Amino acid sequence: MTTPEAFPTGIPSGVAGERAHADLVGRLAREIYGQGQAASQPFTPALPSGPQAPQGFEGLPQGPGGAPLPSASVGLPGAPAGGQPSGLQPDASALAARSFGAPPAGLPGLFGPTLPNLAPASPAFLDVAAIPPVHPASPRSGLPDFSLPGAPTSLPSAPALAAALPGGPELYRQIAADHPRANAFAHALSPHLVPADPSRAGVDEAQEHFGRTGRLSRAPEAPTSDYYFLNLGPGPARKAPASPRVEPSRHRGPAPRVTSHGASPVAAPFDVEHVRRDFPALHQSVNGHPLVWLDNAATTHKPKAVIDATSEFYARHNSNIHRAAHTLAARSTDLFEGGREAVRRFLNAPSKDDIVFLRGTTEAINLVANSYGRANIGPGDEIILSTIEHHANIVPWQLLAQATGATIRVIPVNDRGEIIFEQYAALLSGRTKIVSVTHVANALGTVNPVREIIALAHAYGVPVLVDAAQSSPHMPLDVQALDADFLVFSGHKVFGPTGIGALYGKAHLLEAMPPWQGGGHMIHDVTFTKTVYKGAPEKFEAGTPDIAGAVGLGAALDYLESVGLPAIAAYEHDLLDYAQGGLAEVRGLRLIGTAREKASVMSFVIEGQENEAVAHHLDAHGIAVRSGHHCALPALRRFGVDQSVRASLAFYNTREDVDVFLKVLHALPRR
């Protein structure tokens, strides 16, 4: 890693140096587009007369996905009622230590500050705008935090800034040559200063938006999306149309796919009663009442197509794979690899060799942490997670950090449960070695802006792992469109068998990663002095895999895509709106997680009621929900609780299910 001493420019470390870093993106991008004297002006947004924006980080744009700006004047998230929980947000000292040469904020293996972040930040903190470099080109694997002497108002022109950077004018020319990418990142972080469209150089888009709508715009308006989970702009989530639009698959097979902004043939209306007939488990009574299954975030029921595929495998095709010449082995191998191809098609991966079968999301994250992590992460390096992760996306990284001396950094969330994108940008640095975030939070339902998270991390040359365990049943996934480096999900969340899941990894990453476990099938040759391994994915699949599970998973994905994920998303969104509207009328109920972009999860507590007692009361009426911490203690503690009741929806749930659920909640015995 390059250190400041390697450069003869007298570049300082610490907060003073970061003042220049704050100005860099806007200045370079404005200089590229020739916006007159703008490049030599202070990095201060021009605000309209009338409503005034708060100071500090409030002057920065709102993050993609509509993430709100911090409420405190020093750029820290507003604390919920009852005081701000400890150990969640980076404080001023943590951010001040971002530059090279400063000691790390926090001990290796721990995440977040160890004390409550209640003290006001120092005045110098107001000068720190954590905007990353705009161009990833560098002789190093990651970019350092660039620092220059002086306050922002006394900085030289953009070419002078560029000349003092590592790489000098050549780096500046690279940035200019790649200006669309540079501009995209600059605009995402500072739309007041940098237009999304270079042809609109000099146009104050914030002023223009204010004149049109009466409010400031801190982020570019996204094109209207038909799907609630794809709304990237600010404002409340928009409902999907009753007849969602789909486009034909680019691949052979029945899988309809969705475009993020997009158009095509109209699908048939969603027939929930037809779908329900495919799920035998839904047609039973529990405690004398018809089953209402609202525990889908924990696991989903299986359609008859999955049950039949798994049963038929054991009844007719059962054999180990790859290593025999007989007919059943050939059948079994074809079915197993057919499941891999189904996963490839479901994720739109470039090749089925990019798909590794594992026991599920948990084992997949452990594989990446132990294989990629141990090969690439060492003392002083940093791992970025978010506050709202499942324990499966926290504990493996903690174990890695404890073993290597790395440090975990945590993206804070606001009072709605949305990540604060500006503070994510502040956490990224040349020390960051991986970002691992959930797509949909299992306890809150928040849909994270993973496309923007990935794009910003890639500006630093940092790979991103996406935990899609909760998003995969609800929305289309396209690893190529997301540009995800790793993506993981579990079969039992997508109406498939338990004990099976998949890891997608970019081919060059998987090839470079060493095996995590050893055994049969993953080898080319073995002697007592040396073993030669196969390539991906086989080198990560030691021993006999869950063949029937892979067959069942393939059947589940085929079924899911034959129903149509766009139609599922639209139907579930309307059902979620309906259910949350009903919950608002339950006396004493507090909903935890009110993100504007949200999937089908409702976590809540009821004043004066024990969570377990609420769940037992519902179960007595045949309604299955989950109570407890949902393997997401940091997320719940951000909202002042250790447990909640969680009701979660799937596309086979109905408004009648919701009505029964709400009626029984209203009938809770009150003290």
Side-chain angles (χ1 to χ4, degrees), residues 12 15-20 148-155:
V15 174
E18 291 191 15
R19 296 170 183 167
L148 288 170
T153 55
S154 64
L155 287 173

Side-chain angles (χ1 to χ4, degrees), residues 87 146 176 322 333 501 546:
F146 298 129
H322 294 303
T333 299
D546 184 357

Side-chain angles (χ1 to χ4, degrees), residues 332-560:
S332 181
T333 299
D334 287 346
L335 288 167
F336 180 78
E337 293 300 332
R340 198 190 305 274
E341 170 60 21
V343 175
R344 184 210 65 77
R345 189 172 64 247
F346 181 72
L347 299 179
N348 192 33
S351 167
K352 71 182 184 68
D353 291 341
D354 302 334
I355 306 300
V356 180
F357 279 130
L358 297 147
R359 289 188 296 118
T361 299
T362 299
E363 188 173 42
I365 295 173
N366 274 275
L367 187 155
V368 176
N370 281 276
S371 180
Y372 179 87
R374 289 180 182 270
N376 293 278
I377 298 174
D381 291 336
E382 296 179 355
I383 302 160
I384 293 181
L385 312 175
S386 82
T387 302
I388 54 178
E389 300 302 322
H390 189 282
H391 294 167
N393 201 27
I394 298 174
V395 179
W397 301 112
Q398 284 182 326
L399 293 172
L400 176 66
Q402 291 163 5
T404 62
T407 300
I408 291 178
R409 301 291 185 187
V410 181
I411 311 168
V413 298
N414 61 25
D415 291 343
R416 289 190 296 272
E418 302 159 330
I419 69 165
I420 302 173
F421 199 83
E422 292 78 12
Q423 295 204 19
Y424 164 59
L427 291 173
L428 281 163
S429 77
R431 294 173 180 167
T432 308
K433 288 298 180 283
I434 195 167
V435 175
S436 188
V437 291
T438 186
H439 194 177
V440 171
N442 77 303
L444 309 181
T446 302
V447 180
N448 276 332
V450 292
R451 189 189 306 268
E452 291 75 16
I453 289 171
I454 291 168
L456 191 56
H458 285 179
Y460 280 82
V462 175
V464 179
L465 182 149
V466 177
D467 174 358
Q470 293 294 336
S471 60
S472 50
H474 302 297
M475 60 187 68
L477 295 172
D478 188 326
V479 293
Q480 295 188 74
L482 291 174
D483 199 19
D485 301 285
F486 301 103
L487 185 141
V488 299
F489 73 99
S490 296
H492 71 104
K493 308 285 191 184
V494 289
F495 315 96
T498 58
I500 187 69
L503 160 70
Y504 159 78
K506 286 183 176 176
H508 71 278
L509 294 174
L510 294 180
E511 286 302 322
M513 289 162 53
W516 177 36
Q517 297 174 327
H521 178 59
M522 47 84 73
I523 55 88
H524 272 305
D525 186 46
V526 175
T527 69
F528 283 105
T529 57
K530 182 181 181 180
T531 295
V532 179
Y533 305 112
K534 291 182 179 178
E538 287 86 356
K539 69 176 174 180
F540 301 114
E541 295 178 347
T544 298
D546 184 357
I547 306 168
V551 173
L553 176 57
L557 299 181
D558 287 344
Y559 177 84
L560 197 58

Side-chain angles (χ1 to χ4, degrees), residues 40-89:
S40 61
Q41 297 302 313
F43 190 77
T44 305
L47 300 176
S49 58
Q52 297 296 306
Q55 300 300 311
F57 268 164
E58 295 286 312
L60 288 176
Q62 195 168 28
L69 293 168
S71 60
S73 62
V74 295
L76 295 175
Q84 182 173 351
S86 64
L88 292 178
Q89 294 89 5

